[in-house]
Amino acid sequence: MSDKKTILSLMQPSGDATLGNYLGALKNWQKLEDEFNCIYAIADLHTLTVRQDPAQLRKNSMQVLALFLAMGLNKGDNIVFAQSHVSAHAELGWVLDCFTYTGELSRMTQFKDKSARHADNINAGLFTYPCLMAADILLYQADMVPVGEDQRQHLEITRDIAERFNNIYGDVFKVPEAYIGKAGARVMGLQEPTRKMSKSESANANNVILLSDDLNQIANKIKRAVTDSDSVVKASPDKPGITNLLSIYCAVTGKTLEEAEGEFVGVGYGAFKAAVAEAVVEELRPVKEEYERILKDKAYINSVIKDGAERAGRIAYRTLGKVYKKVGLIPPVR
Ligand code: TRP
């Protein structure tokens, strides 16, 4: 790897790939290739904290990987792989479990939320989820992690764990920083615009735009999106529906909020939604074509993630070896 800084992020394949994944994260990851060594993976181990249908999980994993490749996230020196293919993640995760306090973990808002929503399955993995995430990051000595608002706290605890470990054993881990993307849209549900657009958390198909939806369906879902009571196209906290559509529009067109609002002065909601639909459809048309093509080419996806796991493994096992030595595990007898 070159002497560029390392940036790393993982995405859970916990549902079909959505417009939220695309605009909220992947479109930003795509821009980082020149400036950073980029490491991207699917966080498939993390999905097991919530009960998954095995066939569906495999399908979702291939879909998210196909989307990564359709967007060119594996270009140049970038590394793309599956978390579960590099066992160092689970192994370092265990060590970090032993350097993280239960009190810290019980303060994580995501743990509290998910425990409330999955009250019948509050498993130990859900609780130690941030330790596995810390392992994902620290194994690669990542400088930067692009994370959405909902993962900020997990990055904070990663930093705490790294500093704690370094204080005891010397400089083993790089302490990572949050990378704040330029136009990282937080895409909310089209029917429930106060909650993140998420397939796994939503029963209403019109709430979520899937990359596998056809272009007509996508346009119709946007045209059916809930709006707010007046008819002014302006972002504001009491207009979550319009705010969400505006931020989708800006993320797709690269326009600022002011520009977008200016464009729709005096325009009714119907025409506004039609404009958003058109912009999203034109944005997704080429990505979807590439995505559908790659999704059929399992051999290609497999070859990319095989190579990715090998290259990731070389970095990860070096860090894991150092950690094992520092904590006093005897070297394996060969
Ligand atoms: N927890 C993240 C999410 O749900 C996914 C994730 C796992 C991740 N490991 C990571 C993100 C490491 C950034 C870095 O969105």
Side-chain angles (χ1 to χ4, degrees):
M1 288 218 135
S2 71
D3 50 4
K4 291 189 272 194
K5 292 196 166 189
T6 296
I7 200 159
L8 164 143
S9 203
L10 279 70
M11 178 172 283
Q12 285 200 52
S14 49
D16 299 39
T18 69
L19 182 70
N21 302 134
Y22 175 83
L23 289 180
L26 302 178
K27 203 168 147 73
N28 289 315
W29 297 7
Q30 207 181 23
K31 299 176 193 145
L32 303 170
E33 184 207 333
D34 294 333
E35 202 183 332
F36 297 99
N37 291 316
C38 302
I39 302 179
Y40 299 127
I42 53 166
D44 50 358
L45 294 175
H46 273 107
T47 67
L48 303 181
T49 56
V50 173
R51 198 67 70 231
Q52 302 287 332
D53 173 66
Q56 191 63 46
L57 176 57
R58 267 188 287 274
K59 192 165 156 229
N60 294 339
S61 295
M62 291 307 266
Q63 282 191 356
V64 173
L65 287 166
L67 182 58
F68 281 16
L69 305 188
M71 296 185 67
L73 293 181
N74 60 321
K75 279 202 294 202
D77 290 335
N78 288 9
I79 299 178
V80 167
F81 69 105
Q83 180 190 33
S84 63
H85 294 181
V86 178
S87 65
H89 290 248
E91 293 160 330
L92 181 61
W94 167 254
V95 176
L96 298 183
D97 283 352
C98 304
F99 287 84
T100 309
Y101 300 112
T102 56
E104 298 176 283
L105 292 172
S106 50
R107 284 193 294 275
M108 294 290 117
T109 49
Q110 183 174 297
F111 172 67
K112 290 191 259 179
D113 279 3
K114 287 201 181 170
S115 313
R117 269 186 283 134
H118 305 277
D120 54 338
N121 183 19
I122 306 178
N123 60 71
L126 197 61
F127 191 59
T128 61
Y129 179 115
C131 302
L132 179 60
M133 178 158 160
D136 299 337
I137 298 169
L138 300 178
L139 278 173
Y140 299 92
Q141 309 291 346
D143 297 277
M144 299 268 179
V145 183
V147 282
E149 215 30 68
D150 62 323
Q151 297 298 317
R152 276 299 181 85
Q153 202 182 23
H154 290 159
L155 187 60
E156 263 324 298
I157 198 175
T158 299
R159 291 168 53 87
D160 292 343
I161 297 169
E163 280 167 0
R164 179 174 306 147
F165 197 93
N166 287 350
N167 280 337
I168 307 173
Y169 300 105
D171 272 342
V172 178
F173 296 127
K174 168 100 37 100
V175 180
E177 313 228 340
Y179 178 84
I180 313 297
K182 304 217 166 61
R186 176 141 197 249
V187 179
M188 314 300 271
L190 296 174
Q191 299 297 322
E192 298 167 68
T194 52
R195 292 189 52 190
K196 187 165 148 176
M197 180 182 282
S198 159
K199 168 89 188 306
S200 54
E201 303 293 346
S202 176
N204 184 341
N206 283 328
N207 195 41
V208 179
I209 292 180
L210 304 179
L211 272 304
S212 54
D213 288 341
D214 69 42
L215 294 170
N216 276 331
Q217 258 174 314
I218 293 175
N220 284 331
K221 286 182 179 182
I222 294 175
K223 289 178 190 161
R224 276 186 217 123
V226 297
T227 46
D228 312 284
S229 51
D230 63 23
S231 60
V232 183
V233 180
K234 210 163 171 39
S236 97
D238 60 342
K239 291 159 69 83
I242 291 296
T243 304
N244 186 35
L245 291 172
L246 272 168
S247 92
I248 291 173
Y249 184 75
C250 291
V252 166
T253 57
K255 292 181 182 160
T256 65
L257 186 57
E258 292 69 39
E259 286 168 343
E261 286 174 345
E263 197 176 328
F264 296 109
V265 172
V267 173
Y269 282 167
F272 167 60
K273 288 200 276 188
V276 178
E278 155 106 22
V280 170
V281 162
E282 288 322 310
E283 166 84 13
L284 291 184
R285 189 189 302 278
V287 181
K288 268 181 61 67
E289 270 171 28
E290 197 52 8
Y291 165 79
E292 306 292 353
R293 189 183 65 76
I294 291 175
L295 193 57
K296 288 193 205 104
D297 194 351
K298 298 276 183 299
Y300 170 63
I301 300 177
N302 283 332
S303 74
V304 172
I305 58 175
K306 176 168 187 277
D307 171 67
E310 277 164 18
R311 289 162 62 214
R314 260 177 254 141
I315 307 169
Y317 292 111
R318 202 186 309 137
T319 303
L320 183 70
K322 207 165 162 187
V323 167
Y324 276 7
K325 195 165 161 203
K326 290 284 187 183
V327 297
L329 304 182
I330 58 168
V333 182
R334 296 191 203 277

